[in-house]
Amino acid sequence: MTQTKTLTIVLAAGKGTRMKSRLPKGLHAIAGRSLLGHVLAASDEALDGDVAVVVGPDMTNVCNETEHCSPGAHTFLQAGQKGTADAVLAAREAIAAAGDVFVLFCDTPMLRPETLVEMRAALDAGANVAVLGFEAADPTGYGRLLTSESGDLLAIREHNDASEAERTVRLCNSGVMAFRCPDLLGILDQISCDNAKNEFYLTDAVEIARNAGLKTVAVASDEAQLLGINDRAQLAVAESVYQDRRRDDMMRGGATLIAPETVWFSHDTVIGEDVVIEPNVFFGPGVTVGNDVQIRANCHIEGAVIGDGARIGPYARLRPGAKLGANVHIGNFVEVKNVDMGVGSKANHLSYLGDGRVGDGANIGAGTIFCNYDGFFKHRTEVGDGAFVGSNSALVAPVRIGNGAFVGSGSVITKDVPDNALSLERAEQSTREGWAEKFRTVMKRRKANAK
Ligand code: UD1
Ligand code: CA
């Protein structure tokens, strides 16, 4: 067997006690993607080779997420949570067959792929062990990187085991480590649990490797990408750092954000050029926006594709399966779910369009409802090209409004409307001339007599 394949081990078996959650920590999300998903995306981008995710007992959901984010990755079970070195050794079998080994934590999701490439460069430059560090504004809780005068990495001291003097060190361990050791398993097997937490610390590998004459180095990077997430306050900090990154990417990509700090992107949002996004817009996963689109204030958009030149909002809600063609207008208090809308169609006010298709150039009047659900099944509504649906109409699916057809306001349409027909479903209007005048006279008299 060749010994050259890179192995990336992502540790996700920790209990995540400080999250106070029934969900494993790696499944908490930033910008709609799990922490684990972020880490796997960075490693898949930067590193070739095999991926191993170490999970704890009863973490089938973490295994499923691994399969979803990085198909082909292997999962290994760490039976008891005995520390990060013990977790790495759960993947012993994979390590035995590997060349370079990278260890990443699922709770450090902001890591950039470029940084992993720098770690690889440190190995190429002769390091046997490279540890990614950062200067922490508040180092409390992190392991400290102890370096020599000449900058060599001597050891990593966990916060709980550090002396007062060591605690003043601000250079912290991010948890990301890269190994190019002839006998990595031999080093890991020497790690003991003789420390404050009685755990097998992966960080002890540095001193052991050094004592064996290997070269150990620290690679420094910025704190923003190395934030460790142990509780929900740190999760919120990471989310806000990540959102800033995305807003920056979007603006660089040609979008105008009038109040960037109020716009929330998903990890996978795609925005075209010359898109203007007004304040308070939220993007859930799976949104693609074309060019020259205006998204006005206070919209909630997920799983939607928006064509060039469309105008959305203010106060619009686009749900999964909304596919809007070029120049479509969706106005205030309109909800669209699982509907294809053709070029230039409009639904400008107060409507629910769910499950169906609207052709090109159709006009959906204010208050139109696609009645898609009968309490048991969902049904489709089809509105043809150039059709005109009058205000306050209920289209009871399954139903089809033909091309060029008109539906009169206030109709409850339960049967198909042929092309170019007018359908009207409401009582005929009756008018009595002069009735109001007589009514007022009678009523005024009645009121006077009652006193
Ligand atoms: C760890 C590092 C610390 C570093 C910090 C950076 C060690 C001993 N300490 O501390 O030096 O500054 O991260 O954020 O490595 N895990 C397992 N199995 C276990 C224990 C942990 O899989 O038995 C996983 C966790 O799921 C997590 C990662 O390892 O993804 C780190 O564990 P955590 O307990 O959060 O370590 P920290 O105390 O943050
Ligand atoms: Ca941690």
Side-chain angles (χ1 to χ4, degrees):
M1 192 179 290
T2 53
Q3 296 278 305
T4 52
K5 237 185 182 181
T6 298
L7 170 68
T8 305
I9 304 177
V10 181
L11 303 189
K15 290 203 185 89
T17 321
R18 289 165 279 181
M19 294 298 282
K20 304 262 163 52
S21 175
R22 276 159 294 174
L23 199 62
K25 183 155 65 177
L27 298 185
H28 283 264
I30 288 177
R33 178 195 256 167
S34 66
L35 304 185
L36 177 63
H38 282 279
V39 175
L40 290 171
S43 72
D44 283 349
E45 191 175 328
L47 306 169
D48 295 328
D50 293 334
V51 177
V53 176
V54 179
V55 304
D58 304 320
M59 288 196 191
T60 325
N61 44 7
V62 179
C63 297
N64 294 342
E65 179 69 358
T66 301
E67 176 60 27
H68 170 73
C69 298
S70 194
H74 296 277
T75 49
F76 291 88
L77 175 69
Q78 184 195 15
Q81 276 44 66
K82 290 184 285 188
T84 45
D86 180 64
V88 169
L89 279 169
R92 178 183 290 276
E93 204 182 293
I95 296 169
D100 295 349
V101 173
F102 282 71
V103 177
L104 316 181
F105 291 171
C106 78
D107 71 352
T108 310
M110 313 291 292
L111 180 66
R112 289 181 185 272
E114 306 86 90
T115 308
L116 291 172
V117 173
E118 281 172 41
M119 296 286 285
R120 163 87 78 199
L123 297 183
D124 289 341
N128 298 103
V129 180
V131 175
L132 185 61
F134 63 99
E135 290 279 339
D138 174 10
T140 312
Y142 288 114
R144 308 300 205 283
L145 300 189
L146 309 181
T147 50
S148 71
E149 299 275 293
S150 57
D152 282 356
L153 180 62
L154 303 175
I156 306 178
R157 192 76 70 235
E158 285 307 294
H159 182 89
N160 289 333
D161 300 291
S163 65
E164 279 307 311
E166 287 167 342
R167 283 187 184 179
T168 63
V169 171
R170 299 243 322 269
L171 186 61
C172 290
N173 174 27
S174 68
V176 177
M177 293 173 84
F179 299 92
R180 185 174 286 175
C181 299
D183 181 23
L184 178 56
L185 284 174
I187 292 172
L188 297 176
D189 281 331
Q190 286 178 52
I191 294 174
S192 76
C193 61
D194 180 17
N195 53 50
K197 282 171 109 181
N198 261 318
E199 281 187 0
F200 295 88
Y201 292 161
L202 178 63
T203 44
D204 287 353
V206 170
E207 249 172 315
I208 295 169
R210 210 177 160 73
N211 291 339
L214 297 176
K215 186 172 160 66
T216 53
V217 304
V219 174
S221 203
D222 57 305
E223 181 169 14
Q225 65 165 318
L226 299 175
L227 293 169
I229 297 176
N230 299 309
D231 59 32
R232 299 203 198 217
Q234 288 170 325
L235 182 67
V237 171
E239 174 85 49
S240 99
V241 169
Y242 187 81
Q243 288 296 334
D244 278 341
R245 254 194 219 174
R246 295 290 287 150
R247 291 165 187 145
D248 236 56
D249 292 346
M250 295 307 180
M251 291 188 280
R252 279 177 217 291
T256 295
L257 309 187
I258 294 174
E261 67 283 4
T262 68
V263 177
W264 294 81
F265 291 105
S266 175
H267 67 98
D268 60 353
T269 311
V270 178
I271 306 273
E273 287 180 3
D274 293 314
V275 169
V276 176
I277 303 177
E278 292 185 357
N280 299 318
V281 174
F282 181 91
F283 292 92
V287 177
T288 302
V289 178
N291 299 322
D292 303 306
V293 171
Q294 276 187 46
I295 301 180
R296 307 196 55 200
N298 300 303
C299 290
H300 191 281
I301 303 174
E302 57 187 324
V305 177
I306 301 175
D308 294 346
R311 274 206 257 148
I312 312 298
Y315 296 99
R317 178 165 185 210
L318 303 181
R319 293 175 50 203
K323 266 198 223 142
L324 312 184
N327 303 317
V328 161
H329 291 187
I330 298 293
N332 38 242
F333 306 107
V334 174
E335 174 179 346
V336 183
K337 183 213 75 173
N338 192 26
V339 167
D340 259 300
M341 281 185 78
V343 177
S345 283
K346 297 177 184 165
N348 272 328
H349 330 268
L350 303 162
S351 289
Y352 172 61
L353 315 183
D355 299 312
R357 194 187 71 86
V358 175
D360 296 344
N363 188 90
I364 308 287
T368 297
I369 306 293
F370 286 12
C371 308
N372 62 328
Y373 187 48
D374 58 16
F376 296 91
F377 298 102
K378 300 272 171 72
H379 304 280
R380 289 175 61 80
T381 299
E382 303 266 339
V383 176
D385 295 343
F388 182 98
V389 179
S391 297
N392 199 28
S393 295
L395 310 182
V396 182
V399 72
R400 177 177 185 277
I401 312 300
N403 295 331
F406 274 69
V407 170
S409 293
S411 298
V412 177
I413 299 294
T414 53
K415 296 183 204 117
D416 288 356
V417 178
D419 291 355
N420 298 311
L422 164 69
S423 268
L424 203 62
E425 191 280 338
R426 62 191 186 215
E428 210 161 302
Q429 183 171 339
S430 79
T431 304
R432 287 180 248 169
E433 291 281 351
W435 179 91
E437 197 55 59
K438 283 182 211 152
F439 177 72
R440 275 192 291 270
T441 311
V442 170
M443 293 312 273
K444 276 183 197 157
R445 194 183 305 138
R446 216 179 265 179
K447 202 166 182 183
N449 291 344
K451 280 183 186 159

